[in-house]
Amino acid sequence: MFSARQIFAQVQRRGFAASARQSSKVTVLGAAGGIGQPLSLLLKLNPRVTKLALYDIRLAPGVAADIGHINTQSEVRGYDATPSGLADALKGAEIVLIPAGVPRKPGMTRDDLFNTNASIVRDLAKAAADHAPEANILIIANPVNSTVPITAEVFKAKGVYNPKRLFGVTTLDVVRASRFISQIKNTDPANENITVVGGHSGATIVPLLSQSGQNLTGEQLDQYVHRVQFGGDEVVQAKDGAGSATLSMAMAGARFAESLLKAAQGQKNVIEPTFVDSPLYKDQGVEYFASNVELGPNGVEKIHPVGKITDHEQKLLDVCLKDLAGNINKGVKFVKENP
Ligand SMILES: NC(=O)c1ccc[n+]([C@@H]2O[C@H](COP(=O)([O-])OP(=O)(O)OC[C@H]3O[C@@H](n4cnc5c(N)ncnc54)[C@H](O)[C@@H]3O)[C@@H](O)[C@H]2O)c1
Ligand SMILES: O=C(O)C[C@H](O)C(=O)O
């Protein structure tokens, strides 16, 4: 039997443990942009987020003032575009999302963004390595196939690289793959779960329809694969020079952050596709690869292999691996030459 005093002490301890576990600061770098604003809005609506830190080179305090009026409990703060503002935004963060960088215009590939975005991501990664070395870093800025290796190289140079905590956000590819198959099959997209592996640009995006319980053949399959691989271009063309996907990306980024928070708070079997430092194709010179990843309190818990695929999917994967190796090496080389 416990005395009333012992029970009270236990309740106090449990209460503290629960609140400590559930205190989660999430930082968005690039928070005033097309993705940053709706992403910050969705994070404000997430009860797992207790502190939301917004940083941008413009307008972050304004976005924070606006979002901060929403009647959910989390504290929102916008930081000045200064080195100390950036440092304060990062300190204590459990998750750092990086959508900072320029988007595509019609006619551009994601790789065409490299010249501008590589240095933006490198500099933000330096700040994250200095001020939030243990945070989960979620890279949204394109070209993801290169910006993830850039971030890894920066963290390695500062001696704080943890491959389990660096993620390229490829969730949007899976969101699209589910939506597009549901449009063909007239099903509820919420029940469709299409595995997508590889990277996040054109031919490096490989949907594995054969693993989903759905079947397409011939031209219909080719059109489906093409739509998943080039879904981003549909939005770029429709926006006609005003940017790329922002709202669907905000949803995808918020979903990935929510999955990480759930896993950190002890939920089991949380699986998301993501572009990570992966053993799957290292023997072919591909250091990073997106596949389904089980998330846990330490970030990456288990990287799922690609599994059984058709000959057609194998051909897509072969093209993907060749392109990916080039994208990854470009990012690594950039940091070595421009530390
Ligand atoms: N991973 C994906 O699936 C995915 C999907 C859509 C877009 N993207 C990429 O996300 C990036 C952002 O897209 P967007 O539509 O939000 O662009 P945007 O131009 O609307 O917003 C980018 C924001 O980044 C800010 N910024 C620029 N340099 C910065 C710095 N050094 N520090 C902090 N903030 C900085 C800008 O001020 C701007 O507010 C692009 O590179 C785009 O290609 C990725
Ligand atoms: O297409 C783009 O440039 C943005 C993003 O990567 C997307 O897939 O929508």
Side-chain angles (χ1 to χ4, degrees):
M1 277 297 266
F2 293 109
S3 69
R5 204 176 155 152
Q6 281 171 319
I7 291 170
F8 180 67
Q10 215 173 37
V11 168
Q12 272 196 320
R13 270 199 307 277
R14 281 199 191 141
F16 177 74
S19 59
R21 198 170 54 241
Q22 283 165 15
S23 154
S24 295
K25 174 173 170 178
V26 176
T27 298
V28 182
L29 306 181
I35 296 167
Q37 292 202 33
L39 174 61
S40 302
L41 167 66
L42 293 173
L43 293 167
K44 175 66 176 134
L45 299 178
N46 185 336
R48 291 180 204 275
V49 178
T50 54
K51 281 191 182 165
L52 185 56
L54 307 185
Y55 175 83
D56 199 297
I57 50 171
R58 60 180 191 106
L59 206 64
V63 175
D66 184 353
I67 287 180
H69 286 186
I70 293 172
N71 61 338
T72 58
Q73 271 192 331
S74 50
E75 279 171 37
V76 186
R77 185 157 165 207
Y79 292 83
D80 293 335
T82 58
S84 67
L86 178 56
D88 290 343
L90 287 164
K91 278 176 199 155
E94 181 176 331
I95 293 181
V96 177
L97 291 125
I98 309 188
V102 294
R104 284 196 287 163
K105 290 188 188 311
M108 291 172 84
T109 65
R110 291 180 185 79
D111 189 54
D112 293 334
L113 301 172
F114 187 97
N115 286 345
T116 313
N117 289 353
S119 53
I120 293 176
V121 172
R122 177 202 57 200
D123 294 346
L124 293 173
K126 282 183 187 173
D130 286 341
H131 303 292
E134 288 171 10
N136 296 294
I137 310 291
L138 278 53
I139 305 293
I140 294 173
N142 272 315
V144 167
N145 296 354
S146 304
T147 50
V148 168
I150 285 172
T151 306
E153 289 305 307
V154 168
F155 273 63
K156 284 178 196 171
K158 288 187 177 274
V160 292
Y161 179 54
N162 179 353
K164 291 179 186 294
R165 297 234 182 252
L166 174 61
F167 305 89
V169 182
T170 57
T171 324
L172 183 54
D173 300 319
V174 177
V175 167
R176 285 183 178 136
S178 303
R179 176 67 184 146
F180 298 165
I181 194 70
S182 78
Q183 288 175 313
I184 297 170
K185 297 284 186 183
N186 206 11
T187 54
D188 180 349
N191 298 330
E192 299 291 353
N193 190 9
I194 313 295
T195 304
V196 182
V197 299
H200 179 68
S201 72
T204 71
I205 301 172
V206 180
L208 302 177
L209 197 60
S210 69
Q211 297 183 352
S212 72
Q214 290 289 10
N215 188 30
L216 296 173
T217 52
E219 209 177 306
Q220 208 181 20
L221 175 61
D222 290 343
Q223 280 170 1
Y224 172 76
V225 170
H226 185 273
R227 192 168 183 215
V228 174
Q229 292 186 324
F230 295 92
D233 295 61
E234 268 183 35
V235 183
V236 170
Q237 276 151 25
K239 289 196 175 176
D240 198 17
S244 55
T246 53
L247 304 172
S248 50
M249 181 59 234
M251 174 270 171
R255 166 176 142 178
F256 192 78
E258 159 76 349
S259 291
L260 265 176
L261 291 169
K262 271 189 200 162
Q265 291 168 12
Q267 192 161 314
K268 301 286 176 212
N269 292 320
V270 181
I271 295 173
E272 285 286 354
T274 170
F275 185 69
V276 291
D277 189 324
S278 169
L280 297 183
Y281 295 98
K282 279 203 202 250
D283 61 347
Q284 296 184 45
V286 176
E287 298 280 323
Y288 302 85
F289 189 82
S291 66
N292 280 333
V293 171
E294 190 177 327
L295 304 171
N298 301 313
V300 172
E301 195 72 36
K302 187 173 168 210
I303 295 174
H304 289 222
V306 163
K308 192 165 174 283
I309 57 176
T310 63
D311 290 349
H312 179 258
E313 288 164 348
Q314 184 61 52
K315 284 198 186 104
L316 295 173
L317 188 56
D318 292 342
V319 176
C320 155
L321 290 172
K322 203 164 137 277
D323 284 9
L324 257 186
N327 295 159
I328 293 166
N329 292 339
K330 187 170 175 179
V332 172
K333 188 162 171 267
F334 173 79
V335 179
K336 293 217 180 327
E337 290 175 358
N338 308 276

